[in-house]
């Protein structure tokens, strides 16, 4: 068996795959944040809690209603997205004319409340969720579990599908135009307030979908979102706030970089993303894919 | 000049930006098939009038009737659906959209809008630049794009806010010819202008706006007799 820089290939590719999977979650979550920030001008700190709600929705559907994973993959994003729509109607829409900071504070508060409720109800040790795709295949250089391959494939499809919808369809052109001049887009006859509400619901649904994908891979835990969201925000800053392709590429790339750091210099693996963020902020404050305002 | 029926009737229109009271009871009418201008100095309230008609200013009072129907309570997307289209002063070309996407962005609101081929016939430059980023066009081309995109929608009343601003004389002439063509096609046009010499080549009547009110109305065929008065109004 060959070795790369003294590292056994199983360890290298194993970490690479883990990095790719973490990157898939970074990409999906930062994508939702980018979509929401682009149109609503709100930095959605509730995103991590909504991801956690997606995972819990899958767990509840299975445990309480007997709905299997594949059903939860459809139902959980719709249910959590609908809860997001209610939150937008009740709270967020009152903040659009204010500075970003107010939306950030409100969504941060909401995230704490949601997490608190789930912790009280379910504790913080985490609940197991059965792997719907057990087994895997042995490749020359590593063992590839089916479920991990599914996460990467599904998240790539979700990310590219969302990119296609925003960059290549009529609906996407309404969204992009409304990001620039919502008043003018509305004066063309498009119901912009409704579009904003549905966009928030869609972004939240994306977070919930990522949560369902995460449920069998990690434990379903009330804190799973807050652990992840800080890194996701770093990803968004590095990619460029509001950039769709930036969110996708940066998400996957940083997951891989983090995975490789675990192999070559494990001590830095928890901080490497934040070091990159600091460097990007100094050299390119609008992010790698963002446009300065 | 026009067939007499009132297309747009604005009565006692007041509008506010926050605490600032901008329109103090605007009164004017535009008849079907007419080209009417709002003339006035900077800050007189001309653009605000257009935005208030279009429902783009939330704080407004008075009456705006289009084809006899009251619009003052409606949001701007529903006003657009009645058949009124707005072309803003700064043109409002979207930088994240290419020319084709900009051109096809406003959804049709009524049947009878121009086809893309008809629009390319009026603005041939646009056809050659369809893949370009909207804001990469020249000022004149951006103006053509901004007007072209509202012709697709089937709107019969066009609100054009200073379409000639900042454009070279030869482009201004093209815009003038285009407005006359649109009038021939039966569009009703409300035009905001600072340049009354240009306005006099296209319009049927002129309302002079000052401090958020109409202070005079001059038919275009009497503009020669009122030229001194106009110059005083406009501070020329």
């Amino acid at each position: 068996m060959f070795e790369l820089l003294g590292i056994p290939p199983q360890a290298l590719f194993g970490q690479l795959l883990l990095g790719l999977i973490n990157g898939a979650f970074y990409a999906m979550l930062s994508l939702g944040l980018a979509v929401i920030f682009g149109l609503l001008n709100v930095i959605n700190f509730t995103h991590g809690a909504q991801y956690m709600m997606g995972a819990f929705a899958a767990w509840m559907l299975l445990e309480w209603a007997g709905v299997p994973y594949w059903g939860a993959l459809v139902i959980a994003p719709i249910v959590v997205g609908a809860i997001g729509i209610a939150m937008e109607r009740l709270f967020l829409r009152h903040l659009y004319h204010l500075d970003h900071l107010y939306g950030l504070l409100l969504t941060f508060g909401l995230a704490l409340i949601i997490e608190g409720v789930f912790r009280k109800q379910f504790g913080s040790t985490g609940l197991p969720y059965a792997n719907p795709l057990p087994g895997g295949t042995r490749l020359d250089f590593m063992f590839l579990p089916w479920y991990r391959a599914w996460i990467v494939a599904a998240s790539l499809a979700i990310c590219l599908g969302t990119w296609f919808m925003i960059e290549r369809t009529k609906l996407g052109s309404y969204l992009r135009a409304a990001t620039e001049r919502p008043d003018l887009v509305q004066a063309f006859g498009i119901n912009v307030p409704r579009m904003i509400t549905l966009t928030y619901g869609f972004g939240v649904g994306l977070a919930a979908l990522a949560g369902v994908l995460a449920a069998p891979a990690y434990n379903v835990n009330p804190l799973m979102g807050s652990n992840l969201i800080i890194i996701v925000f770093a990803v968004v800053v590095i990619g460029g706030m509001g950039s769709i392709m930036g969110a996708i590429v940066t998400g996957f790339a940083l997951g891989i970089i983090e995975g490789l750091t675990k192999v070559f210099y494990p001590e830095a693996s928890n901080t490497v993303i934040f070091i990159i963020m600091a460097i990007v902020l100094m050299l390119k404050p609008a992010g790698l894919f963002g446009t300065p305002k | 000049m026009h067939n007499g029926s009132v297309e747009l009737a604005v009565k006692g229109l007041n509008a506010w930006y926050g605490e600032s009271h901008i329109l103090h009871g605007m009164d004017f009418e535009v008849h079907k098939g007419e080209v009417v201008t709002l003339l006035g100095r900077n800050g007189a309230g001309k653009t605000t009038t257009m935005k208030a008609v279009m429902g783009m200013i939330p704080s407004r009072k008075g009456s705006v009737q289009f084809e006899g129907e009251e619009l003052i309570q409606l949001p701007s997307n529903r006003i657009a659906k009645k058949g009124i289209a707005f072309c803003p002063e700064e043109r409002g070309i979207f930088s994240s959209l290419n020319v084709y996407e900009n051109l096809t962005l406003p959804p049709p609101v009524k049947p009878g809008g121009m086809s893309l081929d008809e629009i390319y016939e009026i603005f041939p430059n646009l056809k050659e630049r369809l893949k370009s980023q909207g804001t990469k066009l020249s000022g004149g081309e951006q103006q053509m794009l901004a007007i072209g995109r509202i012709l697709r929608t089937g709107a019969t009343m066009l609100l054009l806010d200073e379409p000639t601003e900042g454009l070279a004389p030869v482009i201004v002439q093209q815009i003038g010819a285009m407005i006359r063509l649109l009038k021939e096609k039966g569009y009703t046009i409300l035009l905001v202008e600072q340049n009354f010499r240009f306005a006099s080549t296209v319009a049927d009547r002129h309302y002079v706006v000052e401090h958020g009110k109409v202070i005079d109305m001059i038919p275009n065929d009497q503009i020669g007799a009122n030229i001194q008065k106009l110059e005083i109004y406009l501070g020329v």
Side-chain angles (χ1 to χ4, degrees):
Chain A
M1 217 16 135
F2 65 97
E3 285 198 355
L4 287 171
L5 300 170
I7 308 286
Q10 281 85 351
L12 179 66
F13 287 105
Q15 285 301 336
L16 207 57
L17 180 64
L18 278 180
L20 201 57
I21 285 164
N22 283 339
F25 288 109
Y26 300 160
M28 280 186 289
L29 289 175
S30 57
L31 179 66
L33 280 178
V35 171
I36 290 170
F37 179 76
L39 192 60
L40 282 77
N41 218 12
V42 163
I43 300 168
N44 185 36
F45 234 94
T46 321
H47 218 65
Q50 285 152 343
Y51 158 80
M52 175 270 287
M53 285 164 78
F56 265 99
W59 182 86
M60 289 174 197
L61 282 166
L62 182 66
E63 296 293 319
W64 298 349
V67 178
Y69 172 84
W70 305 104
L73 217 46
V74 177
I75 298 169
I78 294 172
V79 171
V80 180
I83 295 170
I85 284 175
M87 285 165 61
E88 192 274 341
R89 291 283 78 193
L90 278 171
F91 305 116
L92 287 174
R93 68 174 176 148
H94 302 293
L95 303 180
Y96 295 145
H97 60 288
L98 299 173
D99 190 80
H100 301 162
L101 188 63
Y102 292 89
L104 189 149
L105 286 172
L106 175 76
T107 53
F108 184 57
L110 289 171
L112 291 179
I113 292 169
I114 293 169
E115 276 181 11
V117 169
F118 275 82
R119 272 171 82 168
K120 172 144 191 347
Q121 203 62 34
F122 298 99
S124 48
T125 45
L127 304 162
Y129 189 96
N131 183 350
L133 283 175
T137 182
R138 188 161 295 283
L139 305 174
D140 284 346
F141 47 89
M142 63 179 286
F143 179 73
L144 177 66
W146 292 129
Y147 191 73
R148 292 188 175 176
W150 158 247
I151 290 178
V152 174
S155 66
L156 269 175
I158 291 162
C159 289
L160 294 178
T162 305
W163 174 85
F164 184 84
M165 186 199 69
I166 289 172
E167 297 294 335
R168 292 286 182 272
T169 66
K170 189 84 197 166
L171 178 65
S173 64
Y174 290 156
L175 283 170
R176 281 177 286 143
T179 300
E180 292 183 46
R181 281 286 304 270
D183 61 332
L184 189 57
V185 172
Q186 185 162 1
F188 286 153
I190 295 160
N191 191 337
V192 173
R194 189 169 63 193
M195 194 163 78
I196 287 176
T197 304
L198 292 176
T199 300
Y200 188 73
F202 175 77
V204 172
L206 270 182
L209 186 55
V212 181
L213 283 172
Y218 312 111
N219 267 348
V220 178
N221 187 315
L223 299 177
M224 62 194 282
S226 55
N227 293 341
L228 196 58
I229 200 71
I230 301 296
I231 300 176
V232 171
F233 271 105
V235 171
V236 170
V237 171
I238 294 166
M241 208 67 193
S243 162
I244 302 300
M245 195 41 103
I248 298 171
V249 172
T250 320
F252 278 101
L254 288 175
I256 292 168
I257 290 172
E258 197 185 36
L260 290 177
T261 312
K262 273 185 189 143
V263 178
F264 292 106
Y265 192 61
E267 296 85 341
S269 62
N270 288 332
T271 45
V272 64
I273 288 181
F274 298 99
I275 294 168
I276 295 173
M277 182 182 84
I279 295 169
V280 168
L281 274 177
M282 280 188 285
L283 299 179
K284 217 162 177 284
L288 297 177
F289 294 80
T291 39
K293 291 206 171 168
Chain B
M1 202 78 86
H2 54 80
N3 70 11
S5 70
V6 174
E7 185 97 327
L8 181 75
V10 174
K11 287 182 198 132
L13 182 62
N14 282 261
W16 291 261
Y17 281 120
E19 299 284 301
S20 307
H21 193 175
I22 309 291
L23 301 184
H24 298 264
M26 287 284 296
D27 292 294
F28 63 94
E29 288 181 348
V30 186
H31 298 89
K32 200 167 178 57
E34 249 192 330
V35 177
V36 167
T37 61
L38 300 177
L39 295 173
R41 299 181 207 207
N42 264 338
K46 308 181 298 291
T47 296
T48 307
T49 303
M50 283 207 164
K51 288 189 168 176
V53 168
M54 203 65 226
M56 294 168 80
I57 295 177
S59 188
R60 60 193 193 280
K61 272 187 187 156
S63 168
V64 176
Q65 290 193 354
F66 179 67
E67 294 176 339
E69 195 177 345
E70 184 57 64
L71 307 180
I72 198 77
Q73 298 292 346
L74 297 183
S76 61
N77 55 310
R78 290 189 50 202
I79 292 174
K81 295 246 163 78
K82 303 288 175 194
I84 309 180
F86 174 55
C87 174
E89 182 182 359
E90 68 291 346
R91 295 164 194 138
I93 302 302
F94 299 100
S95 62
S96 55
L97 273 58
N98 65 28
V99 170
Y100 179 80
E101 287 172 325
N102 266 288
L103 192 57
T104 54
L105 183 78
V109 293
K110 277 185 171 182
M114 282 190 197
S115 67
L116 284 174
D117 284 337
E118 283 174 288
I119 293 168
Y120 297 147
E121 210 170 292
I122 304 175
F123 305 119
N125 294 26
L126 295 184
K127 195 176 181 181
E128 293 156 19
R129 305 288 306 270
L130 290 177
K131 296 276 177 209
S132 305
Q133 187 189 347
T135 44
K136 290 270 159 72
L137 299 185
S138 69
E141 287 169 333
Q142 286 192 31
Q143 189 62 64
M144 291 169 189
L145 178 56
I147 297 174
R149 70 181 170 191
I150 58 175
L151 300 178
R152 262 188 69 253
T153 64
T156 51
M157 165 122 218
L158 310 179
L159 312 183
L160 308 181
D161 194 352
E162 301 213 29
T164 63
E165 196 197 16
L167 299 181
V170 61
I171 310 287
V172 172
Q173 281 180 9
Q174 282 182 24
I175 301 277
M178 184 267 308
I179 291 174
R180 286 188 289 274
L181 177 72
L182 294 178
K183 180 177 159 66
E184 271 172 37
K185 286 181 181 281
Y187 284 93
T188 307
I189 298 174
L190 179 63
L191 192 66
V192 157
E193 262 305 328
Q194 291 207 48
N195 177 353
F196 77 83
R197 293 187 198 283
F198 168 76
S200 69
T201 64
V202 294
D204 299 307
R205 292 184 299 126
H206 310 275
Y207 285 99
V208 181
V209 183
E210 202 170 282
H211 300 307
K213 273 178 105 157
V214 169
I215 55 164
D216 205 349
M217 193 281 285
I218 300 168
N220 198 49
D221 51 11
Q222 292 169 31
I223 205 161
N226 288 284
I227 204 95
Q228 279 187 324
K229 199 162 72 170
L230 257 176
E231 283 178 346
I232 293 168
Y233 285 145
L234 301 176
V236 178

